[in-house]
C-alpha cells in the first residue's frame, strides 16, 4: 500500500442544538454503518453523546450546535461528538448507584465502547468513543 493511502473513511455532521436532532444523529450513524455488526452500539453511543451535548452544554442554547464525526477503518469505528462547552466542567464517567436519576450516560458509553476519551477544545469538549472490530481485537479486548 502507498504510504499516503488510507483505508479509513471519515464523515462529519453539524446539527443545531435541538432535541429532535438526536434522532437525526442516530439515523445518520445507522445509515453510514448499515450492515456493520457495530451499528447498534454506535447508534446508542451517538444518541447518548448528542443528548448530553444538548442537555448539559451551550450546544443546547438558542443558537447552539453540536458536531459529529464518524471514522471507520478495518480496525475501529470512532465516534466523536463536539459540544460548545459553557459548563465549566469536563464530561467524565461517573459510576452512579442504582438510585441515581442522572449521571449514567458516559458510564453507559464507557461500558459499550472499548475506549472513551474526552478532549478539551478551548471552550468546548469532544468525546470520542471507539469500537474495535474483530480485526482490531487481535490482542484481545483492552480493559
Amino acid at each position: 500500500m502507498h504510504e499516503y493511502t488510507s483505508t479509513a473513511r471519515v464523515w462529519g455532521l453539524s446539527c443545531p442544538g435541538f432535541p429532535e436532532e438526536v434522532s437525526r444523529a442516530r439515523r445518520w450513524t445507522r445509515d453510514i454503518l448499515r450492515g456493520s455488526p457495530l451499528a447498534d452500539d454506535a447508534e446508542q453511543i451517538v444518541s447518548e453523546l448528542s443528548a448530553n451535548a444538548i442537555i448539559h452544554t451551550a450546544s443546547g442554547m438558542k443558537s447552539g450546535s453540536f458536531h459529529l464525526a464518524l471514522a471507520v477503518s478495518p480496525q475501529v469505528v470512532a465516534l466523536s461528538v463536539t459540544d460548545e462547552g459553557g459548563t465549566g466542567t469536563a464530561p467524565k464517567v461517573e459510576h452512579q448507584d442504582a438510585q441515581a436519576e442522572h449521571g449514567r450516560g458516559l458510564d453507559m458509553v464507557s461500558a459499550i465502547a472499548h475506549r472513551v476519551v474526552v478532549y478539551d477544545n478551548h471552550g468546548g469538549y469532544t468525546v470520542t468513543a471507539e469500537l474495535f472490530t474483530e480485526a482490531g481485537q487481535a490482542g484481545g479486548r483492552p480493559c
Side-chain angles (χ1 to χ4, degrees), residues 10-138:
V10 180
W11 292 263
L13 177 70
S14 293
C15 298
F18 304 126
E20 58 269 19
E21 293 297 314
V22 174
S23 63
R24 178 178 172 214
R26 280 195 316 260
R27 217 172 23 255
W28 177 79
T29 302
R30 187 175 54 243
D31 288 347
I32 291 170
L33 295 175
R34 187 171 314 279
S36 168
L38 300 174
D40 290 340
D41 287 345
E43 183 180 350
Q44 182 73 31
I45 289 168
V46 164
S47 180
E48 183 60 40
L49 296 180
S50 298
N52 282 353
I54 291 169
I55 294 168
H56 300 295
T57 75
S59 293
M61 302 295 226
K62 187 175 183 174
S63 61
S65 62
F66 64 98
H67 311 280
L68 291 90
L70 174 57
V72 178
S73 77
Q75 295 80 26
V76 67
V77 171
L79 308 139
S80 298
V81 175
T82 301
D83 65 45
E84 294 185 349
T87 62
T89 60
K92 63 181 181 271
V93 175
E94 295 179 318
H95 303 289
Q96 300 292 343
D97 65 27
Q99 306 305 318
E101 294 182 18
H102 302 287
R104 290 192 178 118
L106 279 181
D107 190 26
M108 180 194 65
V109 168
S110 71
I112 296 170
H114 293 95
R115 182 167 64 167
V116 177
V117 181
V118 177
Y119 300 96
D120 184 345
N121 287 331
H122 308 291
Y125 293 94
T126 298
V127 180
T128 299
E130 296 176 348
L131 298 167
F132 298 143
T133 64
E134 295 277 330
Q137 291 185 22

